Amino acid sequence: MIGIDTIPLVRDGRDGDAEQLIRLMGDVFAEYPGCVLDVDGEEPDLRAIATAYAGYGGRFWVAEAPSDGRIVGMVGGRPLGLAGGHWELKKLYVDRSARGTGLGTRLVRLVEAEAARRGAPVLELWSDTRFHDAHRLYERLGYRRGTELRELHDLSDSVEYHFSKPVAVSKETRSLVRILEHHGITVVLDVGANVGQYATRLRHGGYDGRIVSFEPLPEARTALARAAAGDPSWQVAPQAALGAMEGAVTLNVSAESDMSSTLPFRPEMGELLDSAAYTGSVTVPITRLDEVFDTYVAPGDRCFLKIDTQGSESAVLEGAADRLDRISCIQLELSIVPVYQGEPGFLDMIDRLARLGFQPALFIPGYFNRRTARMISMDGVFVSLSR
């Protein structure tokens, strides 16, 4: 019987986990004849796992033994960067001491939940033909093994099976798409698109109308363009941030690209968020939504404006002031615990939207900090009282 004091604790991976991750993966490889772990040649992201998966637009988890903090499990999930928005499950490894506890299933479910939250319609993975126990786990969890094999031509002479599983549409996505249907939305302006997670989520939920995505960060925008490729109703706007002014603006770049912002982090965020650090900066064009709105929204369109700009949502609204009468719904991130300096709190933003004639229709839970057992942010969807 497993006691509560023996259940592994799961958290997000950190760059400082490198030594333990290499040890765990090496130990599992050693159980299979011919398997060789070549870290620098084949698995270099183990050296800085949080940074690597943030760069991929994904997420990585580890499981710690509560008795000594030793990492006994690991798994990652990341977008494949192809049209269709599929995700890939990566690096599922469980220490021999933690097998039979349900940890493998628990880790897989984390990736599935994140893929669903991001709107991925399918989760894929590749697994070495020698990993029979893992194959039984995947098949028990509903993954279908395909007929395709791939040879990696690596030090282990790996040959891998392909597995895939449809990802269920989350209830939050179903509710969001129902709002779009109810209000007859014909075009979604996706401001702060990052690598295309939001648009992919809408597509997975069944929305087939037009989407226009705005993203200023060069690397994220490249991934965004890949995600939109092949979808004729999904357009990526020219590189620019949206705000309250015209000209240029400096973006602070985070290791997690979707945390990048024109605003500095509040000092206390270093204790709260592992990602609360900037790795550089980039200067990009900035424009008002007023200036480009008519380029993408025709007079007869019903427009849904989504804003996720890491603390500068208020500035985007200010830059849209002359077109708010043509917007039916607005979705934006609301900070319960403000993360950035100068960022308004959620009550202030709800009051502001009420003064602009928008009432709340849906709240979607956002980032929950396990360390403090507190939700940091949520998304609010607001509908116009006059449209």
Side-chain angles (χ1 to χ4, degrees):
M1 182 175 175
I2 301 170
I4 189 69
D5 58 341
T6 65
I7 297 175
L9 305 174
V10 177
R11 61 167 173 81
D12 285 295
R14 304 173 187 141
D15 287 349
D17 294 328
E19 183 177 345
Q20 289 210 63
L21 297 181
I22 292 168
R23 184 268 309 160
L24 172 58
M25 195 167 170
D27 286 350
V28 173
F29 271 32
E31 298 177 33
Y32 297 90
C35 282
V36 179
L37 178 58
D38 178 10
V39 176
D40 294 317
E42 299 168 8
E43 304 287 349
D45 54 5
L46 290 173
R47 302 277 187 200
I49 202 72
T51 297
Y53 271 73
Y56 301 148
R59 194 169 173 189
F60 199 89
W61 296 264
V62 301
E64 295 180 329
S67 58
D68 56 10
R70 186 170 57 96
I71 292 178
V72 295
M74 58 194 275
V75 73
R78 54 178 287 188
L80 280 170
L82 303 173
H86 290 203
W87 261 49
E88 184 175 17
L89 185 149
K90 300 282 290 182
K91 292 184 173 62
L92 176 65
Y93 296 103
V94 176
D95 187 82
R96 187 189 295 271
S97 66
R99 294 174 198 164
T101 66
L103 179 58
T105 296
R106 186 178 169 197
L107 292 173
V108 171
R109 296 298 192 204
L110 283 172
V111 181
E112 292 177 348
E114 186 70 10
R117 189 180 73 83
R118 304 285 193 97
V122 175
L123 189 58
E124 303 184 26
L125 65 94
W126 291 89
S127 181
D128 193 290
T129 54
R130 290 166 282 198
F131 295 171
H132 303 297
D133 290 342
H135 303 162
R136 284 191 286 271
L137 170 66
Y138 297 137
E139 290 171 345
R140 188 169 72 249
L141 294 178
Y143 289 80
R144 180 178 177 276
R145 192 174 90 185
T147 58
E148 183 180 2
L149 292 172
R150 72 175 183 184
E151 299 181 18
L152 299 188
H153 305 291
D154 56 3
L155 292 182
S156 301
D157 291 324
S158 300
V159 178
E160 296 182 327
Y161 293 127
H162 180 258
F163 292 80
S164 64
K165 177 182 178 180
V167 177
V169 179
S170 69
K171 64 179 182 180
E172 292 84 5
T173 297
R174 289 197 300 269
S175 298
L176 178 59
V177 171
R178 176 65 190 121
I179 290 174
L180 270 64
E181 293 171 346
H182 180 78
H183 291 275
I185 299 301
T186 58
V187 59
V188 173
L189 302 183
D190 175 18
V191 179
N194 197 241
V195 298
Q197 306 98 306
Y198 183 80
T200 299
R201 178 182 182 184
L202 293 185
R203 288 290 188 249
H204 187 205
Y207 173 71
D208 59 2
R210 290 178 54 234
I211 300 172
V212 183
S213 293
F214 299 83
E215 175 54 49
L217 283 177
E219 290 187 8
R221 192 171 178 279
T222 298
L224 171 65
R226 287 198 301 266
D231 186 336
S233 296
W234 181 0
Q235 180 179 0
V236 178
Q239 182 190 19
L242 294 184
M245 64 179 187
E246 296 279 321
V249 68
T250 298
L251 278 170
N252 302 302
V253 181
S254 172
E256 294 190 34
S257 64
D258 61 353
M259 294 291 287
S260 302
S261 176
T262 57
L263 303 175
F265 282 111
R266 295 175 65 199
E268 59 268 34
M269 286 302 108
E271 296 296 320
L272 196 62
L273 303 175
D274 293 332
S275 57
Y278 289 129
T279 59
S281 63
V282 60
T283 300
V284 300
I286 185 169
T287 189
R288 293 169 59 93
L289 182 57
D290 288 347
E291 296 295 320
V292 299
F293 188 89
D294 292 342
T295 302
Y296 305 108
V297 184
D301 275 325
R302 294 188 63 82
C303 177
F304 184 106
L305 172 61
K306 166 263 182 183
I307 312 171
D308 184 0
T309 52
Q310 301 305 304
S312 64
E313 286 82 1
S314 183
V316 176
L317 282 177
E318 183 177 342
D322 293 340
R323 293 293 184 273
L324 288 178
D325 61 342
R326 293 178 56 190
I327 294 173
S328 300
C329 309
I330 297 174
Q331 177 178 349
L332 72 170
E333 188 174 41
L334 302 169
S335 288
I336 299 171
V337 179
V339 173
Y340 304 94
Q341 295 182 37
E343 174 186 17
F346 73 102
L347 291 175
D348 291 333
M349 291 301 293
I350 292 172
D351 286 344
R352 178 174 182 178
L353 285 161
R355 292 194 300 272
L356 293 172
F358 290 84
Q359 65 179 359
L362 176 68
F363 291 106
I364 301 172
Y367 179 73
F368 179 82
N369 186 263
R370 297 185 64 83
R371 194 179 309 167
T372 61
R374 187 176 182 185
M375 186 177 292
I376 304 301
S377 66
M378 63 182 175
D379 271 25
V381 180
F382 301 80
V383 300
S384 172
L385 297 175
S386 60
R387 283 183 61 80

